Amino acid sequence: MAIGRAGYITILACRDLKRGQQALYQLEKETGLHDTFRLIEMDLASFLSIDRFVTEFKEQHQQLHLLVCNAGMAFNHYDTTYDGLESQFGTNFVGHYMLIDRLLDTMKKSGSARITIASSIAACMVRSIDYTRVTDVWRFNRLINYSTSKLALLVYSHALARKLQGSGVTVNAFHPGLVITGLYRNISFLSLPGIHDLTHWMWLKQRAGSVTSVYLALSPDLEGKTGGYYARELPAAIHPDALKVEVQDRLCKFTDVLIATNTHAPNVLDSINVSSTPA
């Protein structure tokens, strides 16, 4: 809402068009802006859907000044994306990686532009990115795989900031906090008596949870600043791996192979000679 009110044409990239239409209606109703918010279908769990979104976006728009990457899933039981990747890593990280890659040319031609990426404090729950967690179903763990996807986003945000130095495109990551959304619906204890009321008292409402994201997207204080990690609108402590160039390069190469092969077969690991460290 704040981005639309700031004067930007705002594209809602939604997997569920029915819910997207409801969100669109609500935004228009609350803001009174009727040609600012638009809807395009996209599912980050599908390479085909991402490509279709990018094609449709580029047919309608020649510039992109803000890209807010905050979609995701958490603590799901084992499943795969349409392209065969473990669902949390594939949706939370690889989907965003592919989307950003496909839109970078447009952003570079737009003059000043910003990318904001939602990571999480959960990234610090793993010591490093263990690639076998991504490729081996027998090593899957709901919490560790979620945390791995969030660490990957944090590492990538710094890799991208380094890559885009001098391009006019800045990249910053953020921890939104514990926000009352459907993200945690797969955590069974949250449905226990009393827990629901406790979380609604302690956790952030959705608008409060969006404050740091909006700050990174719109604040003049962030003009030209890149490669940061923020929480509650302030710089935050960062996982040490996010700053290591060799870790960044390994992750990008691994992800490029995943996208190129559309598979999570074990030989993907062999192709980049990864020596994994258990989390």
Side-chain angles (χ1 to χ4, degrees):
M1 185 184 299
I3 291 174
R5 282 177 165 161
Y8 291 92
I9 298 296
T10 305
I11 310 299
L12 310 181
C14 298
R15 176 175 58 88
D16 186 328
L17 284 181
K18 182 178 180 180
R19 294 176 65 187
Q21 288 287 359
Q22 292 171 346
L24 191 66
Y25 171 78
Q26 191 67 29
L27 286 167
E28 291 179 344
K29 180 181 177 181
E30 291 192 26
T31 64
L33 301 171
H34 295 285
D35 195 36
T36 295
F37 303 100
R38 301 171 187 179
L39 177 66
I40 301 179
E41 183 178 14
M42 184 182 68
D43 186 347
L44 285 172
S46 165
F47 294 164
L48 178 61
S49 179
I50 294 169
D51 276 333
R52 285 176 174 169
F53 169 85
V54 171
T55 298
E56 186 172 348
F57 175 85
K58 289 184 176 181
E59 287 173 349
Q60 299 175 12
H61 305 278
Q62 284 69 53
Q63 295 185 329
L64 177 60
H65 295 280
L66 299 174
L67 180 57
V68 179
C69 300
N70 66 346
M73 59 195 307
F75 313 119
N76 293 51
H77 293 285
Y78 184 82
D79 199 359
T80 62
T81 66
Y82 291 99
D83 304 287
L85 311 180
E86 187 277 308
S87 59
Q88 291 189 104
F89 190 85
T91 303
N92 295 352
F93 172 64
V94 181
H96 283 116
Y97 181 101
M98 183 176 182
L99 176 66
I100 293 169
D101 180 70
R102 300 294 193 269
L103 291 173
L104 272 181
D105 57 341
T106 301
M107 298 196 80
K108 289 177 180 178
K109 292 185 292 188
S110 302
S112 178
R114 299 184 187 187
I115 300 172
T116 71
I117 298 176
S119 180
S120 170
I121 195 172
C124 293
M125 296 184 71
V126 290
R127 188 171 54 188
S128 62
I129 298 174
D130 180 356
Y131 291 93
T132 64
R133 295 283 184 184
V134 180
T135 61
D136 186 352
V137 61
W138 300 108
R139 301 209 69 232
F140 173 80
N141 175 284
R142 288 195 293 168
L143 175 57
I144 292 176
N145 279 62
Y146 173 73
S147 300
T148 297
S149 73
K150 290 301 182 178
L151 176 55
L153 284 164
L154 192 54
V155 171
Y156 178 56
S157 71
H158 283 74
L160 195 58
R162 177 168 58 91
K163 173 183 176 181
L164 294 175
Q165 282 283 359
S167 70
V169 182
T170 61
V171 187
N172 289 290
F174 65 96
H175 167 59
L178 290 171
V179 184
I180 302 170
T181 68
L183 185 67
Y184 306 102
R185 59 185 174 272
N186 293 304
I187 303 178
S188 57
F189 83 86
L190 292 180
S191 62
L192 294 174
I195 298 296
H196 178 272
D197 292 338
L198 182 63
T199 57
H200 275 65
W201 174 61
M202 295 182 62
W203 292 13
L204 298 172
K205 302 296 189 291
Q206 291 183 23
R207 290 192 182 183
S210 70
V211 167
T212 301
S213 174
V214 171
Y215 170 72
L216 294 183
L218 299 178
S219 174
D221 295 341
L222 272 294
E223 187 64 39
K225 293 186 179 180
T226 192
Y229 177 57
Y230 294 81
R232 297 183 181 272
E233 303 173 71
L234 296 170
I238 190 168
H239 194 295
D241 269 17
L243 303 175
K244 297 177 181 176
V245 172
E246 65 274 16
V247 174
Q248 297 170 12
D249 290 345
R250 176 181 289 179
L251 174 65
C252 291
K253 188 171 183 180
F254 176 81
T255 310
D256 287 339
V257 171
L258 283 182
I259 294 173
T261 59
N262 282 11
T263 182
H264 63 172
N267 60 11
V268 173
L269 290 177
D270 299 334
S271 70
I272 62 168
N273 192 29
V274 171
S275 177
S276 299
T277 303

